[in-house]
Each structure stands twice: as C-alpha cells, then as structure tokens.
Amino acid sequence: MNNNSELTKTMPNSHSNKIPAASVKQMLGQKLMLDLRYYCEKPVAAGRCKTPMTKLPPELAKLIRDYDIGGIILFAENLDNIQQIVQLNRDLQQAATSSPLQQPLFIGIDQEGGRVARLPRSLATSFSGNMAIGATYAEHGTRFASEVGKVLAAELLPLGINVNFAPTVDVNVNPDNPVINVRAFSEDPHQVAELGAAMTQAMQQQGMIAALKHFPGHGDTAVDSHLGLPIVEHSAEQIRQVDLYPYQHIIQQQNPGMIMTAHIQFPALDDSTFVSKQGEVMIKPATLSRKILHGVLRQELGYNGVIVTDALDMAGISKFFTHTEAVIQTFSAGADIALMPVKLQQPAELPALAALLEQLSQAVADNIIPKAELAASYQRIIKLKQQYPLLPKANSVSEQVQQATAALGSLQHRASELALAQAAITQVKPPHTDAANDEQLIIKKQQKLLLIMPDQAKASALAASLAYYSKAALTIDIISLQQTDISDVAAKIAKADVVISGFISPMQSLADIGGMDDMTGIRTIAAAYQRQKTIFELLLPKVVAANKPHVYISLRAPYDISDYGQYADLVLATYAYNTAEDPTSIDAGNATYQALAQVLLGQIKAGGQLPVSVKMSQH
C-alpha cells in the first residue's frame, strides 16, 4: 500500500459539496459497514476463525475497492499498537479512495469509556464511563461529559478512526438491565440528555462523528439484545417522556452525525408483526420498523442525519432473519447503514458480499427498497462524509504516528481520567453527615489490610495504589474470588485490621468483550461469575462474625449495594472496575483504583452522588 501523501491525492471529492453520481450497487455499497475483526487466510469451519485482522489482506482491500464499501468497524483484536493501527487505517482508506466513487470510509469503534473500550487501556485514556460521569453531575454539571468527549476524539482521530459509537444515551431505569447499567449516565432522562449533549458536542467539535445509541432506548430491558429480542412495555407517553427525551434534546441541540438503532420491540410505537425464519409471528424490533425509524425518528423528532443499525449479527436479529432479509428490511424501514451485515472471515466467505449486493439490488428493482429512498440515503451518507474530515491530516505514516503518540494517554489526558475517577466515587453508607464514623474507617498508620476482590488483577491494582499513596507502610493480604482453595480465609480475616471487599455485578456482557463472536467465551465467563458470587456470599458473614471494620466497594452497577451493603460499615461505589494490562502501573489506566486508594487513605473525600436509585437493606 502507498503510505505517503497519495492517500489525500486520491480524494478529489473530499472537500467538495458535490454528490458523486453512483449506480444502485455503488449506493448500496456505501450503506454497508463491515466487521473485519478476524480473518483466516486458510479455510476453517464457519465461526471458528479467531485470527485477529491487524494487517489488511489484499483480498479484503479488493472487496472494499471493488464494491465501494462505505464503512468499517474496528474491535480490540484489530488494535495492537499505534504504528499498526495507523498503518491499518491508512491501508483501509487507500483501498476505499481507490474505488470508482473514491469515497473515504467511516472507520468506527465502540470507545464509550468505562466498560466498553476497545483500545488497550495502557495505551489510550479509557475513563470510568458514563455512570461515573452521572455521579459527578450534582457537583460538576457537564464538565466531565465534555472533557471525556474531547479526549476520546483527540485520541481516536490521529489513529484514523472517525466515528465513535458513543455516547450511550439510554435511560437506565431497570436495575436488572444486563447490558446497559453503568453505560448509562443516569436514570433521569433530563440528566442523560444534558450529559449526552455535552459529550456529543465535545466530540463533534473536534471533528469526530458521534453516534447516539440505542434508539429508541435500551434502558428498561432485562434481556441482552446480543442474546435475544427484548421488549419494552412502556406506554407511548412514558417512551416519549423517558426513552426518547435524550434523543429529542440532543437532535435539537447538537445535530448528531449518527444515531444507532436498537434490536428491541416497542409495541406502543409499532405493534406490527413479522414471521420469523422459524415461522413464529413476532412484533417488529425497532431496527426493522418503518414506523419507528421513519415515523418517530425522522418525522416526529425531525432527525435528518445518518441512521446506523446495531450489529446485525446479534441474536435479536440473526435468530429470526437471514442476514439478507435483515438488511433488506432495515433499509426498507429507513436505516442508512447496515452494521456488520455479513461474515467475511475467510476466503470462502468473501463471495457472500457480492451475493448480498445482488439481492439488495433486486430488492431495489422490485421496489422493496424504493430507489428514491436509496438515493436520499446515499446523499445523507456522502453529505456526512463531506462534513467531517474522514482522512487524517498527516501526509505520512511517520507523521501520523508521531501525532497519535503525542495524544494517546498523554499526561493531561491521564490527569482528566484520574479527576473523573476521584469525583465519581460515592459514599453510600454511612451518610456524609456521620463524620465520626468516617474517621474510624480511614486507613491509618501501619495497618494490616485484607483485600477480597473479584480477581487477582483487581486486587493487585488496589494494593499497588494503596502502597503508592500511603505515607505509612501497609501489610496487604489478598483473597481472589477466583482462587479455588479458600481454606485459609478465616486466618486471613483474623489477622486483618480492616477488610476491604469489592464485587462486580452484573457479569460481563457481550458488549464488554466484543460481540457475537464471543459466545463461547461468555459461557465460560458466566460459570466463573457464578463461582465468584457463591464464594463472595460465603465470605461476607465470616467478616461480620469476626467483627472487623469492613469496607464494601461496588465496582460496577451500584444496585448490588442492596445485597451486600448490609455487611459493611462503609460502602463506596466506583461505577468502574477495569484495570490496565499492567494492573500495578500508576497513571497508565488504573485510575479507578488510584482514586479508591486516596479515598480509603482519607486523602480525598468521596464526593459523587448516586445517579440511580439503590435500596439499602439493613443488617
């Protein structure tokens, strides 16, 4: 591939407002956003390819070029180091700009911050996530939403990534939500709207296309749409007051470049049905609903930007439709871009793209996808590409690598990451007014601490931060909830002056680790999570029986405080739990644990406020 200024020379339309003429098939190609997470050059069984695509193979470059493909989504597996990421993205753009239409690619990523972050945490600034930002709202307003949006854009753009599938503006009103929870700012739609608007503005001002998600709202679901088809039984009035409110506000205020659909049934908005590939009669999910995408989003809310689907390989769609049916139906409903419409993980699967485009072209010929709507959709896509600088400013790989290296994980960005983690930590019990009780629980002098944590990495991260910030020597013992032998637990509790425990709930979802290609892994995670939970619930009464001062830390969704807060004297919520690749490093991706250590040592106050309702049980 040519890696110098040829990349920009091949782009005659990059700063032109003229919409290039295109055939039906070219317009359809622009409407596809492909997932190239894995690619095996030698044949493997379908779904078994696990070789990360970190360098663009010639046959995939040819597909992008020959079919005028409009976009690519990247995953953690595609992202190794700065040099490699820059080279991969330049090669992708070189392929696209060598196509007949010469249109650059949307190169997208899920870099929400917190639970969902695809770039290595030691490399890029990942922050504590949206609910942590929500916890700072009472004291800091929109400051951290703006700061996070600005930093995310500042780090992604030099890498050649121009679309961030963020912010998540779901209103998390369901404590049992398995997939959103801390990815939401709050349970209050007005706070979600304000914080989402601030983050959208900050990203888009930097030149990063924001993609709000998951429309019309994933906040009151108890099913993960990766695994099934959730239904939201809200009334039309409730949907408009809660779920739709952030979209309405942000559309009016910030003109978001993209909005992502949800694979969720909303019978109050559309109760029309379809027959699944198994022959079941079912209510249409939002992704395939014309009433919702065209009627509500376009006509009612006045959105004229680009509508992108959530991943079409998720079970909320793929379980009920063939991939071709799903793409035809979502285009017919009014979606502009089909995300992850077809698997292209080995040479034998590559002809599936040409077959899909043939079938889509036939759907246009048959007026299932009206040609006038196809043309209008194509225009929206090209206009958005013209509005934002999709190609990196740097003329050469070396210049771009230099710019990205200066931006990613810079001292200033890491300081913002730590400031958010510090401001977010919330003291749930006892209330702040109980100052005497607070003082008793601060770790002082040469104390013996016992950390009971979900795994060794999180225990190491907190231990390293406590040792780093403590002015006195601490003796720190560890129990990992992943260890199989817990015979020495009673002795460890007996020796400790203070017990600090932490738990993560709910368990990881497919959104955290990637997507539907992780189905095998999620089953292993589920089994491990149940073991951790069983051990943790066995240990808590033992801590109480030993009459030891006990701090409980809710490391993800604070709803678990209802179950575990009763066992502790001091209860803190962090809304974040992730560690960097090196959990013991300071100022390189372990900000949550640094902030926790400072609170536990009495060096800073826990100033956050719960952005969701949590019921406290009494022990």
Side-chain angles (χ1 to χ4, degrees):
M1 288 291 173
N2 195 337
N3 299 315
N4 54 30
S5 58
E6 288 304 308
L7 186 60
T8 48
K9 284 181 188 172
T10 59
M11 278 297 300
N13 295 311
S14 58
H15 299 292
S16 160
N17 289 325
K18 190 178 175 188
I19 306 286
S23 68
V24 164
K25 204 167 278 188
Q26 287 175 319
M27 288 192 280
L28 289 165
Q30 283 295 303
K31 286 167 67 65
L32 301 180
M33 196 164 199
L34 304 179
D35 146 37
L36 305 178
R37 183 178 179 185
Y38 300 117
Y39 190 71
C40 293
E41 294 184 355
K42 292 180 180 173
V44 292
R48 291 298 175 91
C49 177
K50 295 295 176 192
T51 304
M53 197 281 287
T54 54
K55 187 178 178 186
L56 185 63
E59 57 269 39
L60 291 180
K62 186 176 188 302
L63 280 190
I64 293 166
R65 185 174 61 247
D66 290 355
Y67 295 110
D68 284 287
I69 295 302
I72 303 291
I73 179 172
L74 300 176
F75 287 88
E77 288 76 7
N78 302 121
L79 310 167
D80 190 18
N81 60 70
I82 290 174
Q83 173 87 32
Q84 172 269 323
I85 298 166
V86 166
Q87 186 69 64
L88 174 62
N89 287 335
R90 287 181 78 89
D91 289 349
L92 286 165
Q93 292 291 18
Q94 180 69 36
T97 55
S98 304
S99 68
L101 281 180
Q102 300 185 336
Q103 287 300 310
L105 291 163
F106 291 128
I107 298 182
I109 193 173
D110 291 300
Q111 190 74 3
E112 299 173 16
R115 275 178 59 186
V116 179
R118 305 299 185 219
L119 287 163
R121 290 172 192 271
S122 57
L123 185 69
T125 315
S126 302
F127 295 99
S128 301
N130 283 0
M131 197 169 280
I133 293 170
T136 71
Y137 179 81
E139 189 173 340
H140 298 280
T142 60
R143 172 193 155 187
F144 285 106
S146 296
E147 248 179 70
V148 170
K150 186 177 176 183
V151 171
L152 291 176
E155 296 196 2
L156 292 171
L157 286 166
L159 292 171
I161 298 166
N162 50 49
V163 176
N164 192 6
F165 293 114
T168 296
V169 293
D170 301 309
V171 183
N172 204 84
V173 294
N174 188 338
D176 297 323
N177 197 322
V179 69
I180 301 301
N181 52 77
V182 292
R183 294 167 68 196
F185 291 109
S186 171
E187 66 186 10
D188 179 339
H190 296 271
Q191 276 185 33
V192 172
E194 222 177 303
L195 293 167
M199 188 179 283
T200 300
Q201 181 182 39
M203 282 198 285
Q204 294 196 159
Q205 277 182 343
Q206 301 289 307
M208 168 65 64
I209 299 168
L212 310 185
K213 59 189 186 186
H214 307 80
F215 183 84
H218 211 314
D220 192 9
T221 56
V223 172
D224 182 347
S225 50
H226 288 85
L227 305 174
L229 187 51
I231 185 165
V232 172
E233 299 276 18
H234 290 177
S235 66
E237 184 184 9
Q238 189 180 0
I239 291 167
R240 284 173 172 83
Q241 288 177 353
V242 177
D243 304 278
L244 292 180
Y245 182 80
Y247 293 97
Q248 184 178 21
H249 178 82
I250 300 168
I251 288 166
Q252 288 170 353
Q253 301 282 324
Q254 301 303 336
N255 189 27
M258 290 188 188
I259 291 179
M260 178 182 278
T261 69
H263 306 328
I264 301 175
Q265 297 166 324
F266 281 81
L269 296 181
D270 186 1
D271 61 0
S272 61
T273 58
F274 68 93
V275 179
S276 75
K277 61 186 182 185
Q278 288 86 11
E280 299 169 85
V281 177
M282 304 181 71
I283 293 171
K284 277 187 181 175
T287 295
L288 309 179
S289 165
R290 188 166 179 85
K291 281 186 184 176
I292 293 174
L293 300 191
H294 186 73
V296 177
L297 185 49
R298 291 271 186 237
Q299 294 183 320
E300 189 180 325
L301 300 187
Y303 182 61
N304 54 19
V306 168
I307 299 173
V308 58
T309 72
D310 206 343
L312 291 177
D313 69 341
M314 290 162 64
I317 296 294
S318 63
K319 191 174 172 184
F320 309 105
F321 296 89
T322 67
H323 68 261
T324 304
E325 285 170 341
V327 179
I328 290 171
Q329 291 230 22
T330 192
F331 286 171
S332 181
D336 294 302
I337 294 175
L339 179 65
M340 298 169 62
V342 62
K343 284 267 182 266
L344 303 170
Q345 295 185 344
Q346 55 180 313
E349 291 176 347
L350 301 189
L353 181 61
L356 173 63
L357 286 164
E358 279 300 327
Q359 288 164 307
L360 291 172
S361 299
Q362 190 58 50
V364 176
D366 295 341
N367 207 36
I368 299 167
I369 303 169
K371 192 168 180 183
E373 291 193 7
L374 171 64
S377 177
Y378 168 71
Q379 290 203 349
R380 278 191 292 273
I381 289 166
I382 302 301
K383 280 179 181 172
L384 186 61
K385 288 187 172 187
Q386 291 173 348
Q387 189 182 344
Y388 285 87
L390 299 191
L391 297 177
K393 292 172 186 171
N395 284 332
S396 66
V397 170
S398 57
E399 186 187 345
Q400 195 177 336
V401 167
Q402 200 174 2
Q403 290 171 359
T405 303
L408 269 77
S410 70
L411 290 176
Q412 188 182 355
H413 293 176
R414 291 298 187 191
S416 291
E417 185 177 41
L418 181 57
L420 170 59
Q422 292 168 330
I425 293 179
T426 304
Q427 181 175 312
V428 183
K429 174 188 173 183
H432 271 298
T433 49
D434 198 343
N437 218 339
D438 280 4
E439 283 302 311
Q440 288 169 16
L441 289 160
I442 291 170
I443 297 164
K444 300 177 236 177
K445 301 178 185 171
Q446 291 138 336
Q447 287 186 302
K448 294 174 184 170
L449 309 181
L450 173 61
L451 308 185
I452 303 173
M453 298 298 280
D455 56 50
Q456 191 65 42
K458 292 163 188 61
S460 298
L462 183 54
S465 291
L466 284 164
Y468 179 80
Y469 287 107
S470 178
K471 293 176 174 61
L474 298 172
T475 304
I476 300 175
D477 213 342
I478 286 169
I479 295 171
S480 161
L481 295 176
Q482 286 187 336
Q483 67 190 58
T484 49
D485 180 7
I486 56 167
S487 56
D488 60 348
V489 161
K492 285 188 172 183
I493 293 171
K495 281 185 204 165
D497 295 320
V498 178
V499 177
I500 300 167
S501 71
F503 198 67
I504 295 168
S505 67
M507 63 171 267
Q508 278 186 305
S509 73
L510 285 167
D512 297 31
I513 53 178
M516 293 303 292
D517 282 327
D518 302 295
M519 279 300 292
T520 308
I522 205 78
R523 292 187 191 106
T524 309
I525 288 168
Y529 177 79
Q530 284 308 317
R531 284 195 303 274
Q532 287 170 306
K533 193 170 189 287
T534 301
I535 293 170
F536 190 57
E537 290 173 359
L538 192 74
L539 294 183
L540 287 174
K542 293 183 189 297
V543 176
V544 174
N547 202 27
K548 298 288 180 175
H550 178 201
V551 181
Y552 173 65
I553 303 160
S554 172
L555 290 165
R556 187 186 278 166
Y559 305 110
D560 65 8
I561 290 168
S562 301
D563 297 319
Y564 304 134
Q566 59 183 307
Y567 296 101
D569 307 290
L570 175 66
V571 175
L572 302 173
T574 61
Y575 317 97
Y577 61 92
N578 297 97
T579 59
E581 290 70 23
D582 175 4
T584 64
S585 63
I586 301 295
D587 296 332
N590 296 307
T592 293
Y593 298 93
Q594 290 179 240
L596 259 177
Q598 291 174 294
V599 169
L600 291 167
L601 292 162
Q603 294 170 3
I604 61 171
K605 286 283 183 191
Q609 287 193 23
L610 283 171
V612 292
S613 303
V614 174
K615 292 174 185 171
M616 282 290 294
S617 301
Q618 294 303 312
H619 180 63

